[in-house]
Structure formats: C-alpha cells, structure tokens
Amino acid sequence: MASLDVDSLFTNIPPEETTKICSDQLFHDNDSINGLTKHDFEQLLNIATKESFILFNGTYYQQIDGVKMGSPLGPTLAISFLCYNERKWLTACPAEFKPNYHKRYGDDIFLLFS
C-alpha cells in the first residue's frame, strides 16, 4: 500500500508542457472550435499562465514557473497535467510494478500492490 501527495502542485506545473497537453487533447479531432484555432488557444493560455504578477510588500514580482496560487486555471491545468502523465506512466509501467488498485483525488494518490 502506498499513498502519495504532490508537493506544491500548482507552482511545480511546467506551463509550456501543460499548455501543449491541453491543446493537443482539446484539438485532437478539430482544427478549430467555435472559431478558435489551436494556435490562438495556446497563445491565450500562455498569456494567462506566463503573465502572472504578484504584489508582495509593495513590490511586483513575475512568476516564472508553474501556475500562481489562486489562479482560476490552476486546478484545471494541474489535473490535466497529472492525468496525462499518470496515464503515460500506468501504460508504460512494467507488470511487476503496476499497482492492482490506483485512485487519485486532486494531487493525493492511493496505490495497492500485491
């Protein structure tokens, strides 16, 4: 039995990789959705995640990695990133290391092995 928790999930998500994952999944079968192209979607998502500024003690700081805490996009991007990599890991996992039972809620993961 194993229990895992991702440490500082939002601030550890790679924005460029997550943007690519989301756009590939969303535009898997379509060139555009309601007039929005994959390229435009990626640009908008990059602006929303990379152009984040934080005010601390009267000084502005630009967040250079991850998704800022409190961002409405944070949970969606975090779950998209985790789901993609979890699916990739479980598919490639050798049978002798593959869990018999696997459940995740947010960033908390529970595994059973025999």
Side-chain angles (χ1 to χ4, degrees), residues 72-90:
L73 290 172
T76 302
L77 294 175
I79 296 304
S80 295
F81 180 78
L82 283 177
C83 284
Y84 173 81
N85 284 293
E86 187 176 66
R87 192 169 36 249
K88 196 165 111 175
W89 173 73
L90 287 170

Side-chain angles (χ1 to χ4, degrees), residues 31-114:
D31 292 333
S32 70
I33 299 173
N34 293 332
L36 183 68
T37 66
K38 181 177 180 178
H39 176 73
D40 291 341
F41 175 76
E42 288 177 355
Q43 282 186 316
L44 290 170
L45 203 50
N46 281 327
I47 290 169
T49 56
K50 290 183 179 179
E51 302 299 322
S52 297
F53 293 90
I54 301 163
L55 177 63
F56 179 73
N57 282 343
T59 304
Y60 285 97
Y61 298 90
Q62 184 174 13
Q63 184 154 347
I64 57 172
D65 199 17
V67 178
K68 75 176 183 176
M69 293 300 295
S71 168
L73 290 172
T76 302
L77 294 175
I79 296 304
S80 295
F81 180 78
L82 283 177
C83 284
Y84 173 81
N85 284 293
E86 187 176 66
R87 192 169 36 249
K88 196 165 111 175
W89 173 73
L90 287 170
T91 301
C93 187
E96 62 269 16
F97 295 113
K98 200 169 209 164
N100 295 338
Y101 183 79
H102 166 265
K103 288 293 176 187
R104 181 177 47 78
Y105 180 77
D107 66 342
D108 300 313
I109 303 164
F110 179 72
L111 304 165
L112 287 176
F113 299 91
S114 61

